[in-house]
Amino acid sequence: MKKISLSLAIVAAMGLGAVGSANAANNGKLVFNGTLTNITCDIGAGTGASPGTNPGEINVDMGNVSFSEIGRFADNKLATASPIQLLVNCTGGAAQYNTVDMRFVARQGSGLDNLDQKLLRTTGAADGVGIGLLNSSYQLMDLSGNETIDAPLVQDGAGGATAELNFGAVYVLNGASTNPGNADGFLPFVMDYQ
């Protein structure tokens, strides 16, 4: 999974280099940062999720929700939340690691909601709503920050390990006028092992 982290860093560095070259004449630099590990892990869908059609995708069904059942971020109205469980299965190189941290990259997904930057922007016909993530303590997370979902790696004694990441997702009003319709979104994530 560190390969994903490294590729995101390269894309970000390339984007920063392009911005910098607009202000500078003919020079600049790319700064590459990354870490290579021996750990090999797969992330699969558990309860509340299903495999997507493309590798690495995990589908979460948010259900058919009425605007009257959801509230603003501060209201912490979570009755319609969809629980999500991801299963981490490391087949080798895990002996030196104790935890897995899942961090989210909303800006590279459907983006942060324009009216409430703590939420994921939705795509589709619906207006007035964003998607909020719930941490393992069932509290809304601020997607514009650095919050992570963390879990211990359970060693199997043969260099492998497993972990369960339990969290949730819920529709949250963003303050705009509401309009019914599809409210989809996508949220890239990176797994860090420590």
Side-chain angles (χ1 to χ4, degrees):
M1 293 311 294
K2 286 296 183 179
K3 290 180 184 176
I4 292 174
S5 179
L6 180 59
S7 65
L8 292 175
I10 291 170
V11 170
M14 289 171 53
L16 291 174
V19 170
S21 66
N23 297 328
N26 294 317
N27 57 23
K29 65 180 175 180
L30 296 175
V31 179
F32 297 96
N33 296 297
T35 304
L36 299 175
T37 67
N38 289 329
I39 193 167
T40 303
C41 302
D42 292 318
I43 315 304
T47 305
S50 63
T53 54
N54 296 312
E57 287 183 352
I58 297 170
N59 291 331
V60 176
D61 184 358
M62 298 290 288
N64 190 358
V65 178
S66 169
F67 281 111
S68 65
E69 298 176 306
I70 61 178
R72 299 285 304 257
F73 191 91
D75 298 335
N76 209 34
K77 207 169 175 184
L78 309 177
T80 62
S82 298
I84 304 166
Q85 179 187 64
L86 298 183
L87 305 174
V88 180
N89 182 29
C90 304
T91 56
Q96 69 191 49
Y97 300 100
N98 297 312
T99 61
V100 57
D101 302 331
M102 180 182 197
R103 60 186 164 93
F104 303 98
V105 195
R107 288 177 178 89
Q108 293 178 5
S110 53
L112 294 172
D113 187 273
N114 292 333
L115 298 175
D116 190 337
Q117 296 281 296
K118 295 179 285 295
L119 304 174
L120 181 69
R121 179 185 308 136
T122 60
T123 60
D127 292 317
V129 68
I131 297 173
L133 281 191
L134 303 171
N135 64 21
S136 58
S137 299
Y138 222 60
Q139 298 296 313
L140 278 164
M141 298 173 63
D142 181 348
L143 291 178
S144 68
N146 297 322
E147 294 180 68
T148 60
I149 304 290
D150 309 324
L153 282 170
V154 178
Q155 304 294 327
D156 67 6
T162 59
E164 288 184 15
L165 296 165
N166 293 292
F167 55 108
V170 65
Y171 288 122
V172 180
L173 297 174
N174 64 11
S177 298
T178 58
N179 182 52
N182 287 348
D184 306 326
F186 67 101
L187 181 60
F189 62 85
V190 176
M191 307 301 274
D192 294 314
Y193 301 90
Q194 301 182 28

